[in-house]
PDB file of all heavy atoms in Angstrom:
ATOM      1  N   LEU X1129     102.487 108.729 113.701  1.00  0.00           N
ATOM      2  CA  LEU X1129     101.123 108.868 113.205  1.00  0.00           C
ATOM      3  C   LEU X1129     101.109 109.125 111.700  1.00  0.00           C
ATOM      4  O   LEU X1129     100.217 108.650 110.989  1.00  0.00           O
ATOM      5  CB  LEU X1129     100.400 109.984 113.951  1.00  0.00           C
ATOM      6  CG  LEU X1129     100.146 109.697 115.439  1.00  0.00           C
ATOM      7  CD1 LEU X1129      99.569 110.928 116.129  1.00  0.00           C
ATOM      8  CD2 LEU X1129      99.212 108.505 115.618  1.00  0.00           C
ATOM      9  N   GLU X1130     102.104 109.853 111.201  1.00  0.00           N
ATOM     10  CA  GLU X1130     102.224 110.059 109.755  1.00  0.00           C
ATOM     11  C   GLU X1130     102.391 108.712 109.049  1.00  0.00           C
ATOM     12  O   GLU X1130     101.742 108.439 108.026  1.00  0.00           O
ATOM     13  CB  GLU X1130     103.415 110.958 109.452  1.00  0.00           C
ATOM     14  CG  GLU X1130     103.701 111.124 107.958  1.00  0.00           C
ATOM     15  CD  GLU X1130     105.085 111.690 107.698  1.00  0.00           C
ATOM     16  OE1 GLU X1130     106.060 111.147 108.264  1.00  0.00           O
ATOM     17  OE2 GLU X1130     105.198 112.668 106.934  1.00  0.00           O
ATOM     18  N   ALA X1131     103.262 107.859 109.594  1.00  0.00           N
ATOM     19  CA  ALA X1131     103.496 106.549 108.982  1.00  0.00           C
ATOM     20  C   ALA X1131     102.217 105.713 108.980  1.00  0.00           C
ATOM     21  O   ALA X1131     101.904 105.033 107.991  1.00  0.00           O
ATOM     22  CB  ALA X1131     104.606 105.815 109.723  1.00  0.00           C
ATOM     23  N   ALA X1132     101.467 105.782 110.081  1.00  0.00           N
ATOM     24  CA  ALA X1132     100.236 105.012 110.174  1.00  0.00           C
ATOM     25  C   ALA X1132      99.181 105.509 109.182  1.00  0.00           C
ATOM     26  O   ALA X1132      98.542 104.711 108.480  1.00  0.00           O
ATOM     27  CB  ALA X1132      99.689 105.074 111.597  1.00  0.00           C
ATOM     28  N   VAL X1133      98.997 106.827 109.120  1.00  0.00           N
ATOM     29  CA  VAL X1133      98.040 107.396 108.173  1.00  0.00           C
ATOM     30  C   VAL X1133      98.443 107.063 106.740  1.00  0.00           C
ATOM     31  O   VAL X1133      97.605 106.684 105.911  1.00  0.00           O
ATOM     32  CB  VAL X1133      97.930 108.926 108.373  1.00  0.00           C
ATOM     33  CG1 VAL X1133      97.157 109.567 107.225  1.00  0.00           C
ATOM     34  CG2 VAL X1133      97.250 109.249 109.691  1.00  0.00           C
ATOM     35  N   CYS X1134      99.728 107.185 106.467  1.00  0.00           N
ATOM     36  CA  CYS X1134     100.257 106.886 105.127  1.00  0.00           C
ATOM     37  C   CYS X1134      99.966 105.436 104.751  1.00  0.00           C
ATOM     38  O   CYS X1134      99.497 105.142 103.641  1.00  0.00           O
ATOM     39  CB  CYS X1134     101.755 107.166 105.101  1.00  0.00           C
ATOM     40  SG  CYS X1134     102.550 106.874 103.523  1.00  0.00           S
ATOM     41  N   ALA X1135     100.222 104.511 105.681  1.00  0.00           N
ATOM     42  CA  ALA X1135      99.962 103.096 105.413  1.00  0.00           C
ATOM     43  C   ALA X1135      98.478 102.864 105.140  1.00  0.00           C
ATOM     44  O   ALA X1135      98.115 102.080 104.243  1.00  0.00           O
ATOM     45  CB  ALA X1135     100.424 102.255 106.597  1.00  0.00           C
ATOM     46  N   GLY X1136      97.623 103.526 105.901  1.00  0.00           N
ATOM     47  CA  GLY X1136      96.191 103.378 105.683  1.00  0.00           C
ATOM     48  C   GLY X1136      95.762 103.845 104.311  1.00  0.00           C
ATOM     49  O   GLY X1136      94.983 103.171 103.619  1.00  0.00           O
ATOM     50  N   ILE X1137      96.259 105.003 103.910  1.00  0.00           N
ATOM     51  CA  ILE X1137      95.914 105.554 102.598  1.00  0.00           C
ATOM     52  C   ILE X1137      96.349 104.608 101.481  1.00  0.00           C
ATOM     53  O   ILE X1137      95.572 104.285 100.570  1.00  0.00           O
ATOM     54  CB  ILE X1137      96.565 106.947 102.423  1.00  0.00           C
ATOM     55  CG1 ILE X1137      95.886 107.969 103.340  1.00  0.00           C
ATOM     56  CG2 ILE X1137      96.494 107.404 100.961  1.00  0.00           C
ATOM     57  CD1 ILE X1137      96.603 109.297 103.426  1.00  0.00           C
ATOM     58  N   CYS X1138      97.575 104.155 101.547  1.00  0.00           N
ATOM     59  CA  CYS X1138      98.111 103.292 100.483  1.00  0.00           C
ATOM     60  C   CYS X1138      97.421 101.933 100.454  1.00  0.00           C
ATOM     61  O   CYS X1138      97.276 101.321  99.394  1.00  0.00           O
ATOM     62  CB  CYS X1138      99.612 103.106 100.661  1.00  0.00           C
ATOM     63  SG  CYS X1138     100.567 104.618 100.394  1.00  0.00           S
ATOM     64  N   SER X1139      96.961 101.452 101.615  1.00  0.00           N
ATOM     65  CA  SER X1139      96.354 100.123 101.671  1.00  0.00           C
ATOM     66  C   SER X1139      95.015 100.052 100.953  1.00  0.00           C
ATOM     67  O   SER X1139      94.545  98.960 100.618  1.00  0.00           O
ATOM     68  CB  SER X1139      96.193  99.685 103.128  1.00  0.00           C
ATOM     69  OG  SER X1139      95.177 100.438 103.782  1.00  0.00           O
ATOM     70  N   VAL X1140      94.383 101.205 100.706  1.00  0.00           N
ATOM     71  CA  VAL X1140      93.120 101.207  99.960  1.00  0.00           C
ATOM     72  C   VAL X1140      93.318 101.723  98.534  1.00  0.00           C
ATOM     73  O   VAL X1140      92.352 102.071  97.846  1.00  0.00           O
ATOM     74  CB  VAL X1140      92.036 102.027 100.687  1.00  0.00           C
ATOM     75  CG1 VAL X1140      91.678 101.363 102.009  1.00  0.00           C
ATOM     76  CG2 VAL X1140      92.463 103.464 100.914  1.00  0.00           C
ATOM     77  N   GLY X1141      94.585 101.778  98.100  1.00  0.00           N
ATOM     78  CA  GLY X1141      94.871 102.073  96.705  1.00  0.00           C
ATOM     79  C   GLY X1141      95.100 103.524  96.353  1.00  0.00           C
ATOM     80  O   GLY X1141      95.273 103.855  95.167  1.00  0.00           O
ATOM     81  N   ALA X1142      95.141 104.406  97.329  1.00  0.00           N
ATOM     82  CA  ALA X1142      95.403 105.822  97.053  1.00  0.00           C
ATOM     83  C   ALA X1142      96.891 106.115  97.245  1.00  0.00           C
ATOM     84  O   ALA X1142      97.585 105.417  98.001  1.00  0.00           O
ATOM     85  CB  ALA X1142      94.574 106.709  97.969  1.00  0.00           C
ATOM     86  N   ASP X1143      97.384 107.144  96.572  1.00  0.00           N
ATOM     87  CA  ASP X1143      98.762 107.597  96.764  1.00  0.00           C
ATOM     88  C   ASP X1143      98.814 108.592  97.913  1.00  0.00           C
ATOM     89  O   ASP X1143      97.899 109.399  98.093  1.00  0.00           O
ATOM     90  CB  ASP X1143      99.301 108.278  95.500  1.00  0.00           C
ATOM     91  CG  ASP X1143      99.529 107.298  94.358  1.00  0.00           C
ATOM     92  OD1 ASP X1143      99.603 106.077  94.636  1.00  0.00           O
ATOM     93  OD2 ASP X1143      99.622 107.745  93.200  1.00  0.00           O
ATOM     94  N   ALA X1144      99.894 108.539  98.677  1.00  0.00           N
ATOM     95  CA  ALA X1144     100.118 109.483  99.773  1.00  0.00           C
ATOM     96  C   ALA X1144     101.333 110.323  99.443  1.00  0.00           C
ATOM     97  O   ALA X1144     102.423 109.787  99.241  1.00  0.00           O
ATOM     98  CB  ALA X1144     100.338 108.725 101.084  1.00  0.00           C
ATOM     99  N   GLU X1145     101.151 111.635  99.371  1.00  0.00           N
ATOM    100  CA  GLU X1145     102.280 112.535  99.113  1.00  0.00           C
ATOM    101  C   GLU X1145     102.655 113.234 100.412  1.00  0.00           C
ATOM    102  O   GLU X1145     101.854 113.979 100.988  1.00  0.00           O
ATOM    103  CB  GLU X1145     101.937 113.565  98.039  1.00  0.00           C
ATOM    104  CG  GLU X1145     103.139 114.443  97.691  1.00  0.00           C
ATOM    105  CD  GLU X1145     103.045 115.101  96.335  1.00  0.00           C
ATOM    106  OE1 GLU X1145     102.050 114.863  95.615  1.00  0.00           O
ATOM    107  OE2 GLU X1145     103.975 115.857  95.974  1.00  0.00           O
ATOM    108  N   LEU X1146     103.868 112.979 100.883  1.00  0.00           N
ATOM    109  CA  LEU X1146     104.331 113.482 102.166  1.00  0.00           C
ATOM    110  C   LEU X1146     104.956 114.864 101.990  1.00  0.00           C
ATOM    111  O   LEU X1146     105.907 115.033 101.223  1.00  0.00           O
ATOM    112  CB  LEU X1146     105.351 112.521 102.781  1.00  0.00           C
ATOM    113  CG  LEU X1146     104.900 111.057 102.923  1.00  0.00           C
ATOM    114  CD1 LEU X1146     105.958 110.247 103.666  1.00  0.00           C
ATOM    115  CD2 LEU X1146     103.560 110.965 103.620  1.00  0.00           C
ATOM    116  N   LEU X1147     104.426 115.842 102.716  1.00  0.00           N
ATOM    117  CA  LEU X1147     104.900 117.225 102.619  1.00  0.00           C
ATOM    118  C   LEU X1147     105.959 117.546 103.656  1.00  0.00           C
ATOM    119  O   LEU X1147     106.610 118.591 103.568  1.00  0.00           O
ATOM    120  CB  LEU X1147     103.722 118.196 102.791  1.00  0.00           C
ATOM    121  CG  LEU X1147     102.523 117.993 101.849  1.00  0.00           C
ATOM    122  CD1 LEU X1147     101.449 119.027 102.165  1.00  0.00           C
ATOM    123  CD2 LEU X1147     102.947 118.081 100.392  1.00  0.00           C
ATOM    124  N   GLY X1148     106.111 116.684 104.670  1.00  0.00           N
ATOM    125  CA  GLY X1148     107.040 116.978 105.753  1.00  0.00           C
ATOM    126  C   GLY X1148     106.417 117.936 106.748  1.00  0.00           C
ATOM    127  O   GLY X1148     105.196 118.046 106.864  1.00  0.00           O
ATOM    128  N   ILE X1149     107.259 118.667 107.478  1.00  0.00           N
ATOM    129  CA  ILE X1149     106.774 119.624 108.475  1.00  0.00           C
ATOM    130  C   ILE X1149     106.393 120.923 107.770  1.00  0.00           C
ATOM    131  O   ILE X1149     107.244 121.618 107.225  1.00  0.00           O
ATOM    132  CB  ILE X1149     107.851 119.881 109.546  1.00  0.00           C
ATOM    133  CG1 ILE X1149     108.110 118.588 110.339  1.00  0.00           C
ATOM    134  CG2 ILE X1149     107.411 120.997 110.492  1.00  0.00           C
ATOM    135  CD1 ILE X1149     109.256 118.690 111.321  1.00  0.00           C
ATOM    136  N   VAL X1150     105.124 121.206 107.772  1.00  0.00           N
ATOM    137  CA  VAL X1150     104.583 122.424 107.138  1.00  0.00           C
ATOM    138  C   VAL X1150     103.417 122.927 107.985  1.00  0.00           C
ATOM    139  O   VAL X1150     102.792 122.161 108.715  1.00  0.00           O
ATOM    140  CB  VAL X1150     104.086 122.160 105.697  1.00  0.00           C
ATOM    141  CG1 VAL X1150     105.232 121.852 104.757  1.00  0.00           C
ATOM    142  CG2 VAL X1150     103.049 121.040 105.673  1.00  0.00           C
ATOM    143  N   PRO X1151     103.089 124.204 107.901  1.00  0.00           N
ATOM    144  CA  PRO X1151     101.887 124.706 108.580  1.00  0.00           C
ATOM    145  C   PRO X1151     100.621 124.062 108.026  1.00  0.00           C
ATOM    146  O   PRO X1151     100.576 123.676 106.850  1.00  0.00           O
ATOM    147  CB  PRO X1151     101.915 126.212 108.282  1.00  0.00           C
ATOM    148  CG  PRO X1151     103.342 126.519 107.934  1.00  0.00           C
ATOM    149  CD  PRO X1151     103.850 125.291 107.251  1.00  0.00           C
ATOM    150  N   THR X1152      99.610 123.971 108.851  1.00  0.00           N
ATOM    151  CA  THR X1152      98.324 123.436 108.396  1.00  0.00           C
ATOM    152  C   THR X1152      97.807 124.143 107.146  1.00  0.00           C
ATOM    153  O   THR X1152      97.358 123.483 106.198  1.00  0.00           O
ATOM    154  CB  THR X1152      97.291 123.511 109.537  1.00  0.00           C
ATOM    155  OG1 THR X1152      97.610 122.516 110.507  1.00  0.00           O
ATOM    156  CG2 THR X1152      95.880 123.278 109.038  1.00  0.00           C
ATOM    157  N   PRO X1153      97.837 125.490 107.070  1.00  0.00           N
ATOM    158  CA  PRO X1153      97.327 126.131 105.851  1.00  0.00           C
ATOM    159  C   PRO X1153      98.133 125.792 104.604  1.00  0.00           C
ATOM    160  O   PRO X1153      97.618 125.931 103.487  1.00  0.00           O
ATOM    161  CB  PRO X1153      97.394 127.630 106.175  1.00  0.00           C
ATOM    162  CG  PRO X1153      98.315 127.746 107.342  1.00  0.00           C
ATOM    163  CD  PRO X1153      98.165 126.480 108.107  1.00  0.00           C
ATOM    164  N   ALA X1154      99.371 125.339 104.770  1.00  0.00           N
ATOM    165  CA  ALA X1154     100.147 124.906 103.602  1.00  0.00           C
ATOM    166  C   ALA X1154      99.541 123.652 102.994  1.00  0.00           C
ATOM    167  O   ALA X1154      99.474 123.512 101.767  1.00  0.00           O
ATOM    168  CB  ALA X1154     101.603 124.660 104.000  1.00  0.00           C
ATOM    169  N   VAL X1155      99.091 122.734 103.839  1.00  0.00           N
ATOM    170  CA  VAL X1155      98.420 121.532 103.335  1.00  0.00           C
ATOM    171  C   VAL X1155      97.175 121.923 102.554  1.00  0.00           C
ATOM    172  O   VAL X1155      96.944 121.457 101.427  1.00  0.00           O
ATOM    173  CB  VAL X1155      98.048 120.583 104.495  1.00  0.00           C
ATOM    174  CG1 VAL X1155      97.285 119.367 103.970  1.00  0.00           C
ATOM    175  CG2 VAL X1155      99.297 120.136 105.248  1.00  0.00           C
ATOM    176  N   ALA X1156      96.363 122.809 103.143  1.00  0.00           N
ATOM    177  CA  ALA X1156      95.123 123.237 102.485  1.00  0.00           C
ATOM    178  C   ALA X1156      95.416 123.879 101.124  1.00  0.00           C
ATOM    179  O   ALA X1156      94.720 123.611 100.136  1.00  0.00           O
ATOM    180  CB  ALA X1156      94.367 124.209 103.389  1.00  0.00           C
ATOM    181  N   HIS X1157      96.438 124.732 101.066  1.00  0.00           N
ATOM    182  CA  HIS X1157      96.777 125.398  99.807  1.00  0.00           C
ATOM    183  C   HIS X1157      97.323 124.431  98.764  1.00  0.00           C
ATOM    184  O   HIS X1157      96.941 124.473  97.589  1.00  0.00           O
ATOM    185  CB  HIS X1157      97.804 126.499 100.065  1.00  0.00           C
ATOM    186  CG  HIS X1157      98.472 127.004  98.828  1.00  0.00           C
ATOM    187  ND1 HIS X1157      97.793 127.705  97.855  1.00  0.00           N
ATOM    188  CD2 HIS X1157      99.761 126.870  98.372  1.00  0.00           C
ATOM    189  CE1 HIS X1157      98.621 127.999  96.860  1.00  0.00           C
ATOM    190  NE2 HIS X1157      99.811 127.497  97.147  1.00  0.00           N
ATOM    191  N   LEU X1158      98.199 123.532  99.172  1.00  0.00           N
ATOM    192  CA  LEU X1158      98.888 122.668  98.223  1.00  0.00           C
ATOM    193  C   LEU X1158      97.994 121.592  97.628  1.00  0.00           C
ATOM    194  O   LEU X1158      98.339 120.984  96.618  1.00  0.00           O
ATOM    195  CB  LEU X1158     100.106 122.027  98.890  1.00  0.00           C
ATOM    196  CG  LEU X1158     101.265 123.008  99.161  1.00  0.00           C
ATOM    197  CD1 LEU X1158     102.304 122.381 100.082  1.00  0.00           C
ATOM    198  CD2 LEU X1158     101.910 123.444  97.851  1.00  0.00           C
ATOM    199  N   ILE X1159      96.841 121.344  98.231  1.00  0.00           N
ATOM    200  CA  ILE X1159      95.901 120.385  97.646  1.00  0.00           C
ATOM    201  C   ILE X1159      95.572 120.781  96.214  1.00  0.00           C
ATOM    202  O   ILE X1159      95.596 119.954  95.298  1.00  0.00           O
ATOM    203  CB  ILE X1159      94.625 120.288  98.502  1.00  0.00           C
ATOM    204  CG1 ILE X1159      94.920 119.557  99.811  1.00  0.00           C
ATOM    205  CG2 ILE X1159      93.506 119.562  97.740  1.00  0.00           C
ATOM    206  CD1 ILE X1159      93.798 119.645 100.834  1.00  0.00           C
ATOM    207  N   GLY X1160      95.278 122.063  96.001  1.00  0.00           N
ATOM    208  CA  GLY X1160      94.987 122.526  94.648  1.00  0.00           C
ATOM    209  C   GLY X1160      96.214 122.588  93.771  1.00  0.00           C
ATOM    210  O   GLY X1160      96.191 122.169  92.605  1.00  0.00           O
ATOM    211  N   THR X1161      97.306 123.100  94.326  1.00  0.00           N
ATOM    212  CA  THR X1161      98.545 123.251  93.555  1.00  0.00           C
ATOM    213  C   THR X1161      99.075 121.914  93.049  1.00  0.00           C
ATOM    214  O   THR X1161      99.563 121.811  91.915  1.00  0.00           O
ATOM    215  CB  THR X1161      99.621 123.930  94.424  1.00  0.00           C
ATOM    216  OG1 THR X1161      99.127 125.202  94.857  1.00  0.00           O
ATOM    217  CG2 THR X1161     100.910 124.137  93.649  1.00  0.00           C
ATOM    218  N   LEU X1162      98.984 120.873  93.870  1.00  0.00           N
ATOM    219  CA  LEU X1162      99.540 119.565  93.527  1.00  0.00           C
ATOM    220  C   LEU X1162      98.487 118.618  92.956  1.00  0.00           C
ATOM    221  O   LEU X1162      98.772 117.437  92.733  1.00  0.00           O
ATOM    222  CB  LEU X1162     100.187 118.933  94.762  1.00  0.00           C
ATOM    223  CG  LEU X1162     101.368 119.721  95.355  1.00  0.00           C
ATOM    224  CD1 LEU X1162     101.893 119.038  96.618  1.00  0.00           C
ATOM    225  CD2 LEU X1162     102.499 119.865  94.336  1.00  0.00           C
ATOM    226  N   GLY X1163      97.293 119.112  92.731  1.00  0.00           N
ATOM    227  CA  GLY X1163      96.253 118.297  92.118  1.00  0.00           C
ATOM    228  C   GLY X1163      95.819 117.121  92.965  1.00  0.00           C
ATOM    229  O   GLY X1163      95.557 116.029  92.442  1.00  0.00           O
ATOM    230  N   ALA X1164      95.737 117.317  94.266  1.00  0.00           N
ATOM    231  CA  ALA X1164      95.359 116.236  95.170  1.00  0.00           C
ATOM    232  C   ALA X1164      93.849 116.210  95.381  1.00  0.00           C
ATOM    233  O   ALA X1164      93.136 117.168  95.068  1.00  0.00           O
ATOM    234  CB  ALA X1164      96.078 116.391  96.500  1.00  0.00           C
ATOM    235  N   ASP X1165      93.378 115.117  95.942  1.00  0.00           N
ATOM    236  CA  ASP X1165      91.952 114.934  96.196  1.00  0.00           C
ATOM    237  C   ASP X1165      91.575 115.252  97.638  1.00  0.00           C
ATOM    238  O   ASP X1165      90.400 115.206  98.006  1.00  0.00           O
ATOM    239  CB  ASP X1165      91.554 113.495  95.878  1.00  0.00           C
ATOM    240  CG  ASP X1165      91.848 113.149  94.435  1.00  0.00           C
ATOM    241  OD1 ASP X1165      91.110 113.625  93.559  1.00  0.00           O
ATOM    242  OD2 ASP X1165      92.845 112.436  94.178  1.00  0.00           O
ATOM    243  N   GLY X1166      92.574 115.565  98.439  1.00  0.00           N
ATOM    244  CA  GLY X1166      92.338 115.917  99.829  1.00  0.00           C
ATOM    245  C   GLY X1166      93.666 115.993 100.554  1.00  0.00           C
ATOM    246  O   GLY X1166      94.734 115.779  99.968  1.00  0.00           O
ATOM    247  N   GLY X1167      93.596 116.320 101.816  1.00  0.00           N
ATOM    248  CA  GLY X1167      94.824 116.445 102.598  1.00  0.00           C
ATOM    249  C   GLY X1167      94.586 116.102 104.046  1.00  0.00           C
ATOM    250  O   GLY X1167      93.453 116.194 104.552  1.00  0.00           O
ATOM    251  N   ILE X1168      95.643 115.683 104.721  1.00  0.00           N
ATOM    252  CA  ILE X1168      95.593 115.368 106.142  1.00  0.00           C
ATOM    253  C   ILE X1168      96.761 116.051 106.832  1.00  0.00           C
ATOM    254  O   ILE X1168      97.891 115.994 106.346  1.00  0.00           O
ATOM    255  CB  ILE X1168      95.655 113.848 106.383  1.00  0.00           C
ATOM    256  CG1 ILE X1168      94.374 113.187 105.880  1.00  0.00           C
ATOM    257  CG2 ILE X1168      95.871 113.525 107.859  1.00  0.00           C
ATOM    258  CD1 ILE X1168      94.371 111.675 105.978  1.00  0.00           C
ATOM    259  N   MET X1169      96.474 116.723 107.947  1.00  0.00           N
ATOM    260  CA  MET X1169      97.507 117.343 108.768  1.00  0.00           C
ATOM    261  C   MET X1169      97.571 116.613 110.094  1.00  0.00           C
ATOM    262  O   MET X1169      96.560 116.489 110.795  1.00  0.00           O
ATOM    263  CB  MET X1169      97.203 118.822 108.993  1.00  0.00           C
ATOM    264  CG  MET X1169      98.231 119.546 109.856  1.00  0.00           C
ATOM    265  SD  MET X1169      99.826 119.709 109.014  1.00  0.00           S
ATOM    266  CE  MET X1169     100.808 120.505 110.301  1.00  0.00           C
ATOM    267  N   ILE X1170      98.760 116.127 110.431  1.00  0.00           N
ATOM    268  CA  ILE X1170      98.999 115.489 111.725  1.00  0.00           C
ATOM    269  C   ILE X1170      99.452 116.577 112.685  1.00  0.00           C
ATOM    270  O   ILE X1170     100.579 117.064 112.606  1.00  0.00           O
ATOM    271  CB  ILE X1170     100.091 114.399 111.632  1.00  0.00           C
ATOM    272  CG1 ILE X1170      99.842 113.456 110.461  1.00  0.00           C
ATOM    273  CG2 ILE X1170     100.207 113.654 112.959  1.00  0.00           C
ATOM    274  CD1 ILE X1170      98.640 112.587 110.591  1.00  0.00           C
ATOM    275  N   SER X1171      98.575 116.993 113.579  1.00  0.00           N
ATOM    276  CA  SER X1171      98.921 118.085 114.493  1.00  0.00           C
ATOM    277  C   SER X1171      97.969 118.119 115.678  1.00  0.00           C
ATOM    278  O   SER X1171      96.768 117.888 115.533  1.00  0.00           O
ATOM    279  CB  SER X1171      98.869 119.432 113.770  1.00  0.00           C
ATOM    280  OG  SER X1171      99.112 120.497 114.683  1.00  0.00           O
ATOM    281  N   GLY X1172      98.527 118.448 116.831  1.00  0.00           N
ATOM    282  CA  GLY X1172      97.730 118.712 118.018  1.00  0.00           C
ATOM    283  C   GLY X1172      97.484 120.185 118.207  1.00  0.00           C
ATOM    284  O   GLY X1172      97.090 120.619 119.299  1.00  0.00           O
TER     285      GLY X1172
END
């Protein structure tokens, strides 16, 4: 699912930065730290 989401993001011209296995709140925090425009967490 990460690969699929990544392909979707890149196909519309955005960059995808892969964080690997991290807690959901890490994604939320790193959006600001890494200057991103948003974040996606693949998790059930």
Side-chain angles (χ1 to χ4, degrees):
L1129 293 173
E1130 175 196 50
V1133 169
C1134 181
I1137 290 170
C1138 293
S1139 71
V1140 295
D1143 290 342
E1145 184 158 358
L1146 306 185
L1147 305 179
I1149 295 174
V1150 292
T1152 287
V1155 177
H1157 165 67
L1158 289 168
I1159 288 169
T1161 302
L1162 298 177
D1165 301 286
I1168 292 176
M1169 179 69 183
I1170 311 292
S1171 176

